[in-house]
């Protein structure tokens, strides 16, 4: 659970409970003000929090596992232990041997991207952890595979059931449909689809939940990319297709398959990712949507909660940010940078599965400046290097960093610019009294600036909803988005993409922390405008979208850790 956010008491009337009719999101009148208004209304403030129930209604806690009853299940082997790709090799193009795109490798892809990583147990209660982190460990993100015909797989659409590490066959295609699907994809490729169930987050976090669902989608995009990289494969986000297309391909618009469950338990389309054995310079321009829609569909979605609470504001922003068909934006190649370095020779599979969200930091452990710089360097995009080669757009987010315990670096407030093009606008927007000094030993290509030298541990704690975890690490940061200009220029649906980028940033920090022998966690509870005020930001040209902290963890030894798939037969391991 990357978000150890504590629930504040409600400061607004609790919304009414009702069962509403599912309304397919579509084009809204002037959707941009709706997205901007949602963001403004769901800010936490020093004197009040965004609306939530203010307590946990355990009787309505959503089931963390979506299944489709009545489907044929394809049991996948637990094969990730046999993948020995060193983590450091992921960042050297062509260094990783290319695995065949077959049954075993597809099983590894889903095990490392969306599978279970462990179970935790405390006083008889047990809960699962996954390779893709989630706010509050609530897991709104569901995964799908769209595969051409091959041994062990009929051509069609499959839902990934992480609890049992299997693919549920939602749709199979006859010979002509299978041929259409094969023609629509590059050779040796499959599609990975992601969707979101907003209710899973809203149950705990109320109206701010839509933000967290987008964070989680970004984390999942990154976990898919890292898993593909460990297999020597590429992964590319297909960002021209509409949400209508994604919903149709994943079967999310099939009312009959969701009949009998509450509309809140339905899934909203997120994205399709093209996963391929080879590099893909030009993605498919069309998908056989109607062929898939006309396929043979089976399965009934399970109900997640017996009753639900309505958060109309989430429905409104979901409709406003519903993506239309757009032209393929093309790849914007990043500025050439020195090769990435990593000293971690642990297998990528082991590192991905050992990742945890720390719940407390020790307030003592430092990290060397060299390690700090290396972590930040991994936040910069490079051609052919995961996870940033999955996204087609240049960086839209930058980092305001509280340095607490970095050996060789003065404590204070720093700024990392991930794209030099933002420098003039961002510098003009920040406080004029800032230093803008680059550390003497900082790599020349790393646009890191010291804004002020001061012990800001208390300040970091305050702006992250008074959570000590933000002050007890080696450093913490807030992710600053080029916000209003991006959304107004590109469309309301870009509101979600900005949060996706924040989630990808978070996943990089998670794995880099593990590689450095420390630990990290995402922080979704922060006082938006208090951080803006510290930086001197006025208006909403730039907005804070996500916080993160890295440091030495305090382990809760009361919790028992259990293997992720001990409940499956041993024959599933190969």
């Amino acid at each position: 659970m990357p978000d150890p956010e504590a629930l504040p008491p409600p400061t607004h009337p609790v919304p009414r409970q009702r069962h509403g009719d599912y309304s397919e999101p579509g084009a809204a009148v002037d959707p941009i003000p709706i997205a901007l208004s949602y963001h403004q209304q769901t800010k936490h403030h020093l004197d009040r929090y965004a609306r939530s129930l203010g307590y946990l209604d355990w009787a309505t806690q959503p089931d963390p596992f979506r299944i489709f009853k009545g489907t044929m299940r394809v049991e996948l082997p637990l094969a990730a232990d046999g993948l020995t790709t060193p983590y450091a090799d992921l960042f050297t193009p062509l260094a990783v041997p290319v695995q065949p795109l077959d049954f075993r490798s597809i099983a590894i892809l889903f095990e490392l991207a969306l599978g279970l990583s462990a179970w935790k147990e405390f006083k008889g209660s047990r809960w699962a952890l996954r390779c893709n982190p989630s706010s509050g460990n609530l897991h709104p993100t569901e995964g799908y595979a769209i595969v051409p015909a091959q041994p062990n797989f009929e051509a069609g659409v499959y839902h990934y059931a992480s609890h049992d590490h299997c693919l549920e066959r939602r749709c199979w295609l006859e010979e002509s449909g299978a041929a259409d699907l094969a023609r629509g994809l590059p050779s040796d490729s499959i599609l990975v689809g992601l969707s979101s169930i907003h209710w899973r987050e809203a149950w705990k976090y109320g109206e701010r939940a839509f933000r967290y669902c987008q964070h989680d989608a970004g984390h999942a995009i990154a976990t898919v990319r890292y898993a593909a990289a460990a297999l020597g494969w590429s992964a590319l986000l297909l960002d021209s297709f509409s949400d209508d297309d994604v919903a149709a391909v994943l079967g999310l618009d099939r009312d009959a398959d969701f009949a009998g469950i509450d509309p809140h338990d339905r899934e909203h389309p997120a994205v399709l990712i093209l996963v391929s054995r080879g590099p893909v310079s030009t993605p498919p321009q069309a998908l056989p949507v109607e062929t898939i829609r006309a396929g043979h569909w089976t399965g009934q979605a399970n109900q997640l909660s017996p009753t639900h609470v309505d958060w109309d504001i989430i429905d409104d922003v979901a409709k406003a940010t519903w993506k239309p068909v757009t032209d393929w934006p093309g790849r914007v190649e990043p500025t050439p940078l020195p090769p990435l370095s990593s000293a971690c020779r642990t297998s990528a599979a082991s590192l991905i599965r050992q990742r945890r969200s720390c719940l407390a930091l020790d307030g003592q452990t430092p990290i060397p400046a060299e390690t700090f710089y290396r972590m930040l360097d991994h936040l910069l995009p490079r051609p052919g290097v995961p996870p940033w080669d999955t996204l087609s757009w240049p960086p839209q987010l930058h980092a305001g960093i509280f340095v607490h315990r970095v050996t060789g670096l003065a404590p204070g407030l720093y700024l990392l610019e991930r794209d030099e093009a933002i420098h003039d606008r961002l510098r003009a927007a920040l406080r004029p009294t800032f230093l803008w000094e680059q550390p003497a030993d900082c790599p020349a290509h790393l646009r890191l600036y010291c804004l002020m030298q001061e012990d800001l541990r208390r300040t970091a704690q305050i702006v992250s909803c008074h959570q000590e975890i933000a002050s007890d690490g080696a450093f913490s940061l807030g992710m600053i988005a080029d916000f209003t200009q991006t959304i107004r220029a590109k469309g309301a649906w870009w509101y979600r993409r900005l949060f996706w980028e924040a989630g990808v940033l978070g996943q990089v920090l998670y794995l880099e922390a593990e590689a450095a022998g420390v630990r990290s966690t995402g922080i979704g509870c922060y006082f938006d405008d208090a951080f803006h005020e510290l930086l001197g930001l006025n208006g909403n040209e730039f907005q804070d979208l996500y916080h993160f902290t890295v440091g030495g963890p305090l382990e809760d030894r009361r919790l028992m850790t259990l293997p992720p798939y001990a409940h499956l037969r041993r024959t599933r391991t190969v």
Side-chain angles (χ1 to χ4, degrees):
M1 46 183 281
D3 186 357
E5 174 175 349
L7 283 175
T11 55
H12 296 271
V14 171
R16 64 190 182 283
Q17 283 189 301
R18 66 176 176 84
H19 293 277
D21 294 330
Y22 181 81
S23 177
E24 190 73 341
V29 176
D30 202 2
I32 290 175
I34 297 173
L36 298 180
S37 176
Y38 168 81
H39 189 76
Q40 185 65 31
Q41 182 170 329
T42 57
K43 289 181 176 180
H44 288 325
H45 299 272
L46 287 166
D47 60 345
R48 60 182 174 85
Y49 290 83
R51 292 189 307 163
S52 69
L53 282 181
Y55 63 92
L56 295 180
D57 182 5
W58 294 111
T60 64
Q61 182 181 16
D63 189 331
F65 298 107
R66 157 80 6 117
I67 60 170
F68 287 90
K69 303 172 185 176
T71 59
M72 183 193 78
R73 287 190 154 199
V74 180
E75 294 185 346
L76 300 175
L78 293 165
D81 282 340
L83 191 67
T84 59
T85 306
Y87 176 72
D89 287 359
L90 301 187
F91 311 106
T92 302
L94 306 179
V96 179
V98 179
Q99 301 295 317
L101 199 152
D102 58 13
F103 183 63
R104 177 180 179 275
S105 294
I106 291 174
I108 293 174
L109 177 76
F110 278 90
E111 184 178 352
L112 295 182
L114 302 172
L116 305 187
S117 59
W119 288 86
K120 292 288 186 178
E121 187 173 298
F122 177 66
K123 291 185 176 180
S125 295
R126 181 182 293 190
W127 59 97
L129 306 181
R130 305 193 199 184
C131 294
N132 58 310
S134 170
S135 302
N137 202 35
L138 297 171
H139 291 286
T141 307
E142 294 292 327
Y144 291 81
I146 300 91
V147 297
Q150 59 175 281
N152 298 104
F153 285 116
E154 295 176 283
V157 180
Y158 297 78
H159 170 255
Y160 179 62
S162 61
H163 182 277
D164 295 324
H165 189 49
C166 69
L167 289 171
E168 301 174 318
R169 191 188 68 182
R170 291 279 288 121
C171 170
W172 65 273
L173 302 175
E174 295 183 354
E175 186 175 345
S176 61
D180 284 346
L181 178 59
R183 283 192 296 268
L185 298 178
S187 61
D188 278 337
S189 296
I190 65 171
L191 295 176
V192 174
L194 301 177
S195 68
S196 294
I197 302 173
H198 300 151
W199 166 245
R200 279 201 179 124
E201 291 291 325
W203 168 77
K204 181 176 182 180
Y205 296 121
E207 65 183 11
R208 202 168 162 98
F210 187 78
R211 295 180 176 216
Y212 300 160
C213 288
Q214 309 317 312
H215 283 155
D216 284 8
H219 280 287
I221 290 168
T223 60
V224 170
R225 179 62 188 109
Y226 279 120
L231 292 159
W233 300 349
S234 66
L236 180 64
L237 188 149
L238 301 183
D239 215 22
S240 61
F241 301 109
S242 69
D243 283 347
D244 286 328
D245 290 338
V246 178
V249 168
L250 302 184
L252 308 184
D253 60 351
R254 297 180 54 80
D255 291 341
D257 298 351
F258 294 88
I261 71 170
D262 190 279
H264 295 84
D265 288 345
R266 292 189 69 159
E267 300 170 39
H268 291 247
V271 71
L272 296 174
I273 303 170
L274 179 68
V275 176
S276 179
R277 288 191 74 233
V280 177
S281 57
T282 304
Q285 299 302 302
L287 294 174
V289 175
E290 293 308 316
T291 296
I292 294 174
R293 194 192 297 272
H296 299 276
W297 288 84
T298 60
Q300 290 286 319
N302 63 321
Q303 178 92 354
L304 303 181
S305 292
T307 60
H308 303 75
V309 174
D310 244 0
W311 296 97
D312 293 340
I313 191 172
I314 294 179
D315 295 335
D316 291 343
V317 72
K319 293 175 184 178
T321 57
W322 192 263
K323 185 187 179 298
V325 174
T326 55
D327 292 332
W328 168 246
R331 298 300 297 262
V332 178
E333 292 300 334
T335 302
L337 297 172
L340 272 178
S341 66
S342 177
C344 181
R345 302 303 296 176
T346 301
S347 78
S350 296
L351 197 77
I352 288 168
R353 289 181 296 173
Q354 79 179 42
R355 181 214 60 81
R356 300 287 184 269
S357 299
C358 56
L359 299 179
L361 297 174
D362 60 17
Q364 298 178 3
T365 302
I367 61 172
E370 180 183 5
T371 299
F372 176 65
Y373 296 144
R374 183 168 58 242
M375 287 183 180
L376 299 187
D377 205 4
H378 279 254
L379 303 181
L380 304 182
R382 289 169 168 83
V385 176
W388 300 110
D389 59 341
T390 305
L391 307 183
S392 61
W393 61 84
Q396 303 295 308
L397 271 70
H398 313 276
I401 307 171
F402 296 102
V403 169
H404 304 314
R405 300 172 182 86
V406 176
T407 305
L409 207 58
L413 180 64
Y414 290 71
L415 179 76
L416 174 68
E417 294 177 348
R418 297 179 56 241
D419 187 343
E420 63 182 354
I422 201 65
H423 178 77
D424 290 342
R425 285 181 51 222
L426 193 52
R427 182 162 186 170
L430 298 183
R431 289 187 183 277
T433 56
F434 282 153
L435 299 174
W436 290 92
E437 296 177 351
Q438 292 191 280
D441 61 344
C442 181
H445 69 277
L446 202 61
R447 300 181 64 83
L448 179 69
Y449 300 92
C450 178
L451 302 182
M452 58 186 298
Q453 292 187 14
E454 188 174 332
D455 183 346
L456 295 175
R457 286 175 294 177
R458 177 60 179 160
T459 302
Q461 179 179 336
I462 290 172
V463 300
S464 287
C465 293
H466 306 287
Q467 296 177 88
E468 293 179 354
I469 201 167
S471 61
D472 285 349
F475 69 94
S476 63
L477 59 81
M479 302 179 191
I480 306 161
D482 187 357
F483 189 73
T484 305
Q485 181 170 302
T486 299
I487 292 172
R488 291 197 183 281
K490 299 184 178 183
W493 53 276
W494 258 86
Y495 182 70
R496 292 158 60 194
R497 268 71 183 164
L498 293 176
F499 277 94
W500 293 359
E501 186 175 331
V504 176
L505 278 165
Q507 195 63 21
V508 174
L509 289 171
Y510 265 128
L511 295 189
E512 283 302 298
E514 296 290 338
V518 288
R519 193 142 277 178
S520 61
T521 195
I523 302 174
C525 187
Y526 54 87
F527 298 125
D528 305 54
D529 290 339
F531 190 59
H532 298 154
E533 183 178 355
L534 174 69
L535 294 168
L537 294 172
N538 297 307
N540 59 3
E541 179 183 7
F542 296 98
Q543 290 288 287
D544 182 15
L545 298 191
Y546 196 13
H547 282 212
F548 227 86
T549 187
V550 176
L554 284 177
E555 301 293 343
D556 189 341
R557 302 192 181 279
R558 298 173 302 168
L559 304 183
M560 181 183 298
T561 302
L562 305 169
Y565 287 111
H567 58 287
L568 300 182
R569 300 192 307 271
R570 290 187 179 182
T571 54
R572 296 281 290 279
T573 304
V574 297

